[in-house]
Amino acid sequence: MALNFFDQFMSPTYMGIPLMTLALTLPWMLYPTPSDRWSHNRLITLQGWFINRFTQQLLLPLNPGGHKWALILTSLMIFLLSMNLLGLLPYTFTPTTQLSLNMGLAVPFWLATVIIGMRNQPTAALGHLLPEGTPILLIPVLIIIETISLFIRPLALGVRLTANLTAGHLLIQLIATAVFVLLPLMTTVALLTSMVLFLLTLLEIAVAMIQAYVFVLLLSLYLQENV
């Protein structure tokens, strides 16, 4: 039984062909394509309003030099939000529960911010490794600590997203299994447990949205340090 709980995190295959690519590309088809007409339907209007509001909030802490990242960061936010929310549907696969995918997203973006900082302002980028006014005896120790913390950033991004989504999916499956087991034995307890399951599902919807936002927000903060 314990092993079956983790079967939902296995990459789906069909006739030996991995379906990870299909799981990553199909959600983009759910979004309506904006047209050049003056009058749009409500779904396109809501989609445009959400993207505009998120982009404005994302660009608030960034310098004008970082505004060129608005398109890619907004696309990343929509991608993660779609993956996280669609993964809460029954009989679906959540690609963002895979650490390999999350690290594949976190490392290139983090590395791009570091390279931009080293190219545009190398003195300021290297200055983050040593705070001003540090005693001479602590300089080697602080440089090592700051360097380690710099390289841990992409790992923290990927592990945070993976751990939060994985824990939520496991809790939902555990409580749902308890409801089915208790239903023929103790109906009242099963109903109370189902209420807990409903509240947990609402919580996981919020977690799915918050984690996607936090992932992109931290990337924007890393970018702000190097722009």
Side-chain angles (χ1 to χ4, degrees):
M1 178 65 69
L3 293 177
N4 293 334
F5 287 148
F6 292 92
D7 288 346
Q8 59 178 318
F9 304 116
M10 297 176 60
S11 180
T13 57
Y14 180 72
M15 298 180 62
I17 303 174
L19 301 181
M20 174 66 81
T21 305
L22 191 62
L24 294 176
T25 55
L26 280 182
W28 290 107
M29 301 175 61
L30 300 177
Y31 290 95
T33 303
S35 63
D36 297 331
R37 298 179 180 178
W38 285 6
S39 60
H40 303 295
N41 58 32
R42 295 176 181 176
L43 184 59
I44 294 180
T45 303
L46 180 62
Q47 174 184 309
W49 175 84
F50 170 77
I51 293 176
N52 290 333
R53 292 296 299 173
F54 172 75
T55 305
Q56 291 176 5
Q57 293 295 324
L58 185 66
L59 297 181
L60 281 179
L62 291 179
N63 295 329
H67 291 182
K68 63 183 68 174
W69 284 61
L71 178 60
I72 190 169
L73 291 180
T74 304
S75 302
L76 179 62
M77 169 68 182
I78 296 174
F79 172 75
L80 293 176
L81 186 63
S82 304
M83 294 292 102
N84 296 348
L85 292 178
L86 291 176
L88 293 174
L89 297 176
Y91 301 104
T92 56
F93 171 69
T94 312
T96 45
T97 57
Q98 305 294 312
L99 183 60
S100 57
L101 173 65
N102 296 333
M103 292 301 296
L105 292 174
V107 172
F109 280 103
W110 165 81
L111 188 59
T113 61
V114 174
I115 292 176
I116 287 176
M118 295 297 294
R119 186 189 65 178
N120 295 339
Q121 44 183 8
T123 303
L126 294 176
H128 292 302
L129 301 179
L130 185 62
E132 187 177 356
T134 304
I136 298 178
L137 295 178
L138 295 180
I139 288 178
V141 178
L142 281 180
I143 291 178
I144 294 175
I145 293 175
E146 292 296 330
T147 304
I148 293 175
S149 66
L150 178 65
F151 282 96
I152 284 179
R153 284 180 174 182
L155 182 63
L157 282 175
V159 171
R160 180 188 295 109
L161 182 59
T162 303
N164 281 281
L165 296 181
T166 302
H169 283 66
L170 284 177
L171 280 175
I172 289 177
Q173 187 170 2
L174 284 170
I175 297 178
T177 304
V179 171
F180 281 106
V181 172
L182 293 174
L183 191 59
L185 303 176
M186 294 177 287
T187 307
T188 305
V189 177
L191 292 176
L192 293 176
T193 309
S194 62
M195 293 178 60
V196 175
L197 178 61
F198 175 74
L199 295 177
L200 180 62
T201 304
L202 295 180
L203 177 64
E204 285 306 311
I205 293 175
V207 168
M209 294 186 290
I210 291 172
Q211 289 303 316
Y213 177 73
V214 167
F215 191 94
V216 178
L217 178 63
L218 290 177
L219 281 176
S220 67
L221 294 179
Y222 299 158
L223 179 64
Q224 173 64 21
E225 294 180 358
N226 296 283
V227 173

